[in-house]
Amino acid sequence: MTHSLYRSQNAICYSGYRTDQSPHNSKIPSSEEIKEDLLILEQHWKLIRLYDCGPHAERVLKIIEEENLQLRVLLGAHIGAEVNNPNCPWGGQYPEEELAENKLKNETEVSRLIELANDYPEIIAYLSTGNEATVDWTDHLVPVESVIEYVRQIKCHTKQPVTFCENYIPWHDKLAALAEEVDFISVHTYPAWEQQPIENALAYTQQNYLSVAQRYPHKKVVITEAGWCTNSNGRGIPPQNVSEETQAAYYNALAKWCKLEDILVFHFEAFDEDWKGSDDPLEPEKHWGLFTIDRKPKQVMKDRFSNVD
């Protein structure tokens, strides 16, 4: 199918958690903090991606509506582990009762996604059935058959195009049946996590993308996550491969290629999130933002946001 918003335009992943806030401690950004963020993002991006249907996302949608902001949203449902995953390096094993409880939570989350999609039809442009829930290393593994059922349920009750956001590798084979159910395919590509230096980063991203696009020539493929961090303690990413300079080089090269090829890409991510990963301040998970945790533009954004204090 065709949809005008599939076309290349400025898009970014957004999660507004600041210091001492996280989805784990139930402390979410205030309305004033979210409004501050959205006014920054509106200056340069047209589409933002949200990851769940919880209070943070609800607050974002409400503020976009109340302030009449020129932002549209890819809204995702967060689906938790329904089966154990012994392949997860940091723990993907749960008691059976917890897995059963997760299944019920997932059904509730999908119902909430449907509700919000119908409450905000002019703001929510796309829907995602989950995020990185089928890749081999995930700690929230969900059977492909379950994801397909969620996709079908969402499509029955909403009008927006429906996708599932996942690393590029599962789309090669594991998600072939799912690919036929979604309206478009969403891939994630992270050359930095796969030990690529900046000199090879764009070529590697292109290879990742084309490996899926050529597998499904009848489906539109978008990139819902691609980014470059600015610090690393060596856990998974060589420290010499990342900096504000390499982030700027990757962002600009990726944006140029996607515009040339008319590929929609959501850059990961808007702001650093210091709640993620380990307690090490140089943990790479904390440093993917194009802005710091205190909303200062990093090098790639300084020319575009010289007015941000």
Side-chain angles (χ1 to χ4, degrees):
M1 64 184 292
T2 58
H3 192 281
S4 61
L5 287 180
Y6 290 150
R7 302 191 64 185
S8 171
Q9 56 188 297
N10 290 342
I12 195 160
C13 300
Y14 170 60
S15 180
Y17 295 103
R18 305 188 184 206
T19 299
D20 297 325
Q21 301 171 348
S22 88
H24 303 313
N25 65 15
S26 299
K27 294 181 180 179
I28 67 170
S30 67
S31 295
E32 292 74 20
E33 289 170 332
I34 290 174
K35 181 179 176 181
E36 177 189 4
D37 289 349
L38 296 181
L39 289 174
I40 292 172
L41 299 184
E42 189 191 32
Q43 296 179 53
H44 187 67
W45 291 279
K46 298 180 181 298
L47 279 165
I48 62 174
R49 180 185 170 203
L50 303 176
Y51 285 80
D52 61 45
C53 299
H56 179 11
E58 292 181 43
R59 192 166 281 176
V60 171
L61 294 167
K62 184 178 180 181
I63 291 170
I64 291 174
E65 181 180 62
E66 290 177 347
E67 300 295 329
N68 194 29
L69 301 179
Q70 299 305 300
L71 290 168
R72 296 299 174 261
V73 173
L74 187 164
L75 181 63
H78 173 75
I79 53 176
E82 295 185 5
V83 293
N84 284 318
N85 183 13
N87 296 319
C88 178
W90 55 88
Q93 302 279 87
Y94 308 93
E96 286 302 317
E97 56 268 26
E98 185 172 349
L99 295 175
E101 183 180 343
N102 285 347
K103 177 70 173 178
L104 295 176
K105 289 180 179 178
N106 290 347
E107 292 170 353
T108 299
E109 178 82 349
V110 167
S111 295
R112 186 60 179 147
L113 180 73
I114 292 169
E115 184 179 357
L116 290 172
N118 291 317
D119 286 346
Y120 296 94
E122 301 303 317
I123 294 173
I124 299 173
Y126 309 114
L127 303 171
S128 172
T129 314
N131 182 68
E132 294 182 349
T134 63
V135 72
D136 287 348
W137 41 257
T138 186
D139 62 0
H140 52 284
L141 186 63
V142 178
V144 178
E145 296 76 17
S146 288
V147 180
I148 288 174
E149 287 304 314
Y150 294 143
V151 168
R152 290 174 176 172
Q153 182 181 347
I154 294 165
K155 290 179 70 172
C156 279
H157 298 286
T158 61
K159 296 181 179 179
Q160 293 93 334
V162 180
T163 191
F164 173 69
C165 300
E166 186 55 279
N167 178 273
Y168 68 96
I169 293 175
W171 290 110
H172 291 167
D173 183 49
K174 183 179 183 179
L175 300 184
L178 178 61
E180 300 308 317
E181 301 283 345
V182 295
D183 293 310
F184 64 100
I185 294 170
S186 295
V187 300
H188 297 174
T189 169
Y190 285 105
W193 277 124
E194 298 193 53
Q195 314 300 308
Q196 300 298 314
I198 189 60
E199 295 79 13
N200 195 45
L202 180 61
Y204 197 76
T205 293
Q206 292 168 334
Q207 177 185 329
N208 295 168
Y209 176 86
L210 292 173
S211 70
V212 177
Q214 292 171 356
R215 171 76 168 78
Y216 305 98
H218 59 298
K219 287 283 182 175
K220 183 67 177 177
V221 178
V222 308
I223 300 173
T224 43
E225 285 187 25
W228 200 268
C229 64
T230 52
N231 276 303
S232 176
N233 58 3
R235 192 195 70 82
I237 298 177
Q240 66 272 18
N241 283 1
V242 297
S243 64
E244 289 197 20
E245 290 74 21
T246 52
Q247 181 189 61
Y250 182 69
Y251 178 95
N252 291 327
L254 179 63
K256 181 178 179 180
W257 173 65
C258 287
K259 184 175 182 180
L260 180 66
E261 297 296 329
D262 206 15
I263 298 169
L264 176 57
V265 55
F266 288 79
H267 293 274
F268 187 86
E269 64 177 328
F271 304 102
D272 282 349
E273 294 185 87
D274 61 6
W275 66 270
K276 289 185 172 180
S278 69
D279 293 335
D280 189 329
L282 294 181
E283 163 73 46
E285 290 281 7
K286 302 177 186 295
H287 296 282
W288 293 85
L290 303 180
F291 295 80
T292 64
I293 190 72
D294 56 357
R295 279 44 188 170
K296 305 296 184 186
K298 295 184 184 178
Q299 178 173 312
V300 65
M301 290 291 114
K302 284 183 178 176
D303 290 342
R304 299 171 176 88
F305 288 90
S306 58
N307 62 324
V308 176
D309 294 331

